Amino acid sequence: AELRIVADTGAITQKVSAWSYLEPSIIDSVTPSSGQYGTWVHIRGSNLLRPGDTLVNVTLNGFSANISSSNESDILVRATASNGAVGTGDVVILADSGAKVVGTNQWEYRREGKVAGADPSFGVEGTSVIVYGSNLRGYGREIVEATLAGSVATIEEENDYFVSLVAGKAFNLTSEGPIVLTSSSGAVIS
């Protein structure tokens, strides 16, 4: 291609092979297409960084995601807190060149899972605990890890509304802290 500049005086400056159009960047898929805080999201496509070399930012429905890995055809990110926002919006990829790729309405933040409580709310190693709440699987297939006040608990049974746990060994005998569930999707529920 030729770049040609014509001044108001009629002077012409031109350079051959000064500009080339590249194949456009395309987002082919976003998997999963919905989730909540902590959900791992795989973005597939072509020329995702072009014409840049490095990924600068990815947003999911307006919220910056944590970038795990990236190349021209695959990007892996983790959804960040949506501050309770729910709804569908764009996936936006920004390269170091300033190039931007937009996947229109390809990500939905869903209502975050929430631990409502536990019965009992205290105990020692070996105590059976029932944790209850809503969307406890964080839109994943299952809960893969549970902690009670920072100590790993054994998962006996689980669904979206309750989790049966056995308390593990406490790091600190007087420790008090949150109940945290991690979904197979990567979502974190507390």
Side-chain angles (χ1 to χ4, degrees):
E2 176 183 45
L3 175 63
R4 184 178 172 147
I5 301 171
V6 179
D8 59 357
T9 63
I12 298 173
T13 303
Q14 63 186 27
K15 177 147 175 86
V16 177
S17 299
W19 173 260
S20 296
Y21 279 100
L22 301 173
E23 288 185 44
S25 302
I26 298 170
I27 296 174
D28 292 324
S29 66
V30 177
T31 309
S33 60
S34 64
Q36 65 169 59
Y37 172 77
T39 300
W40 286 103
V41 182
H42 189 184
I43 303 165
R44 290 188 174 117
S46 56
N47 308 315
L48 294 176
L49 304 179
R50 189 170 284 174
D53 296 316
T54 307
L55 183 61
V56 174
N57 192 29
V58 173
T59 60
L60 304 172
N61 193 12
F63 295 91
S64 287
N66 293 325
I67 300 165
S68 177
S69 64
S70 64
N71 62 43
E72 284 287 323
S73 59
D74 291 285
I75 297 173
L76 182 64
V77 297
R78 197 161 195 190
T80 57
S82 62
N83 299 324
V86 295
T88 302
D90 299 343
V91 173
V92 180
I93 300 168
L94 182 63
D96 59 345
S97 65
K100 183 168 38 172
V101 186
V102 178
T104 305
N105 291 326
Q106 289 192 333
W107 173 258
E108 177 188 9
Y109 266 110
R110 298 179 79 183
R111 188 168 315 285
E112 292 185 10
K114 184 78 176 152
V115 171
D119 186 26
S121 60
F122 56 87
V124 297
E125 181 180 359
T127 300
S128 292
V129 181
I130 300 294
V131 176
Y132 51 92
S134 60
N135 300 325
L136 296 179
R137 288 183 173 164
Y139 306 100
R141 291 180 313 281
E142 62 185 340
I143 297 167
V144 295
E145 183 179 75
T147 61
L148 300 170
S151 297
V152 176
T154 302
I155 301 168
E156 301 241 302
E157 189 178 345
E158 53 83 25
N159 64 37
D160 261 338
Y161 306 101
F162 84 91
V163 183
S164 176
L165 303 173
V166 175
K169 184 174 178 138
F171 291 118
N172 179 344
L173 294 181
T174 60
S175 63
E176 212 177 284
I179 298 167
V180 179
L181 307 174
T182 303
S183 168
S184 58
S185 70
V188 178
I189 297 91
S190 59

